[in-house]
Amino acid sequence: LGVSILLGSCGNDGGNDTTISFDRREMLSDYAANIIIPAYSDLQSEVNALKTSTEAFASAPDNDNLQAAQLAWTNAYLAWQSANAFNFGPAGEQGTRKGLIEEIGTFPAAETKIETAIAANDHSLNNFDRDARGFLALEYLLFGKNKSTSELIAEFRGTPSRQAHIKAIANHLKTRVDEVVNGWATYQSEFLNNNGTDAGSSTSALYNEFVRSFESAKNFKVGLPAGKRPGQTKPEPQLVEAFYSGLSLTMLKAHLQSIEAIYYGRGNNSASGLGFKNYLESVEGGKELVALTEAQWQKVKDALNAVPTDQPFSVLVANNHPTVDALHTELQKHTRFFKSDMSSLLGIAITFSSGDGD
């Protein structure tokens, strides 16, 4: 009996482990090499192109440069959808600096703060106004609100401070992404070796950010603008992601596709490695949960594909379109599978506060 207890203790890494047959280190290795690092690398490449295009437009505001900058923003923000679930390690909170998603992905953009900074010729970005910088602040400046292309171009031609400000935001965006990409070069070894299931492990960090990313899509990209969050009494379409470009639904689809890829452990080439699905299948009751999860996820995808694409998502939200409500319902139903059920079977505690009430 004493030997059995000793062997059992040696096999416990500090978490509530539910299996001894699954190689978590190999799973983490696949995630790092095939999903996380490539996602950040792609993001870095697109952000570099965005910075170049933004600076070209600011220096020479014309129609061609504006269209190039808008396209570069679209490509970079699409790349961001594949990287926004990895806010730990180099992308996690450090001192007063929040995680990467808050630093560069906060929405909606604070129009008044942006315009006030431009009017004051203040381009330092040395404040806590994360809703006045990052991707969505750039979107506001590049696409405008109820402005024609000629009006946008005229604003930049006649306002040197506006030119300087958009350059500063693009540079800040590049700096933050570069820091994370460079950080992974040294963090990868720590990520692989810290392969337990306790609250400080890489497995826990990856799983918690995966769930939080799913809830972000559900709560803030659908629920909040649709008026489904606690305290809301009506839709608030101005709160959709990518409001100014009208690409809200495109970005939501890309985000949910990235969530699916993380669950299955699929890299950019769609090849499946070891992912959470495999991990679940190695524990008692896991195969049954996988079947239920996949069935509900298909309902989410069907609801998403039913949302019309012939008008902006914000318009659908404003008009209480039934497909938006149906999508939110299916996302809400799915929460238990990614969150409570998966957490229970894998023995990984939820360490973030979602305020979701579920």
Side-chain angles (χ1 to χ4, degrees):
L1 176 60
V3 173
S4 297
I5 293 174
L6 177 60
L7 290 175
S9 299
C10 291
N12 192 320
D13 51 26
N16 183 19
D17 206 349
T18 58
T19 178
I20 59 173
S21 62
F22 187 80
D23 190 340
R24 284 191 298 269
R25 193 182 194 282
E26 184 178 352
M27 179 185 74
L28 293 174
S29 179
D30 278 351
Y31 273 117
N34 299 326
I35 299 180
I36 301 174
I37 293 176
Y40 277 132
S41 179
D42 288 348
L43 176 63
Q44 183 183 47
S45 178
E46 296 295 349
V47 166
N48 287 342
L50 173 58
K51 180 177 181 292
T52 299
S53 296
T54 299
E55 290 178 341
F57 168 64
S59 299
D62 60 30
N63 186 66
D64 289 344
N65 283 338
L66 176 59
Q67 289 186 358
Q70 289 175 337
L71 178 59
W73 181 89
T74 301
N75 292 337
Y77 202 54
L78 276 171
W80 168 241
Q81 304 305 317
S82 295
N84 68 18
F86 308 121
N87 292 278
F88 54 84
E93 292 191 20
Q94 298 177 23
T96 59
R97 189 169 66 191
K98 294 293 186 179
L100 187 64
I101 192 168
E102 292 180 73
E103 290 290 343
I104 71 172
T106 295
F107 69 90
E111 301 169 9
T112 301
K113 292 179 183 178
I114 296 170
E115 295 296 347
T116 297
I118 292 172
N121 204 29
D122 179 7
H123 317 301
S124 65
L125 306 180
N126 186 26
N127 51 53
F128 297 110
D129 294 333
R130 298 177 181 91
D131 52 359
R133 56 180 181 260
F135 273 116
L136 287 308
L138 272 182
E139 182 205 18
Y140 166 70
L141 291 171
L142 286 173
F143 290 87
K145 183 178 181 180
N146 301 322
K147 293 177 181 176
S148 66
T149 297
S150 58
E151 289 173 328
L152 274 171
I153 292 172
E155 277 188 330
F156 278 91
R157 280 180 177 168
T159 315
S161 182
R162 202 173 195 84
Q163 298 170 12
H165 201 70
I166 198 172
K167 289 180 179 180
I169 293 176
N171 184 66
H172 175 266
L173 181 61
K174 172 179 165 53
T175 298
R176 289 294 291 115
V177 171
D178 284 348
E179 288 173 352
V180 172
V181 172
N182 294 336
W184 264 93
T186 54
Y187 173 72
Q188 185 175 3
S189 177
E190 176 186 340
F191 178 72
L192 300 184
N193 292 327
N194 190 11
N195 57 18
T197 57
D198 58 286
S201 68
S202 299
T203 311
S204 174
L206 177 63
Y207 169 69
N208 271 275
E209 288 303 318
F210 161 73
V211 176
R212 189 164 74 154
S213 186
F214 166 76
E215 293 212 320
S216 173
K218 177 190 69 176
N219 293 335
F220 302 122
K221 298 188 177 186
V222 181
L224 188 64
K228 304 294 185 180
R229 301 293 292 156
Q232 289 184 291
T233 59
K234 61 181 180 180
E236 299 184 65
Q238 76 280 5
L239 300 182
V240 298
E241 178 188 33
F243 173 72
Y244 307 103
S245 61
L247 294 172
S248 308
L249 186 59
T250 298
M251 298 305 168
L252 176 61
K253 287 181 176 180
H255 189 165
L256 292 177
Q257 286 170 358
S258 74
I259 292 296
E260 180 179 290
I262 295 170
Y263 178 76
Y264 287 105
R266 293 174 182 158
N268 288 350
N269 58 2
S270 296
S272 294
L274 279 179
F276 285 127
K277 175 190 175 182
N278 305 99
Y279 193 5
L280 280 171
E281 289 176 335
S282 74
V283 305
E284 184 176 354
K287 291 183 179 179
E288 292 81 1
L289 179 57
V290 166
L292 292 171
T293 300
E294 291 182 337
Q296 178 56 35
W297 188 250
Q298 186 58 54
K299 292 180 180 179
V300 170
K301 292 167 68 174
D302 290 343
L304 181 64
N305 290 332
V307 178
T309 59
D310 59 347
Q311 50 189 320
F313 192 61
S314 59
V315 174
L316 299 175
V317 166
N319 293 332
N320 289 300
H321 200 282
T323 59
V324 176
D325 184 68
L327 173 59
H328 182 262
T329 297
E330 296 304 334
L331 286 167
Q332 188 66 30
K333 287 180 180 179
H334 195 82
T335 303
R336 56 164 288 202
F337 298 107
F338 278 169
K339 196 175 185 182
S340 56
D341 291 355
M342 194 168 163
S343 171
S344 178
L345 282 191
L346 295 182
I348 306 174
I350 295 294
T351 58
F352 69 95
S353 177
S354 67
D356 211 30
D358 45 37

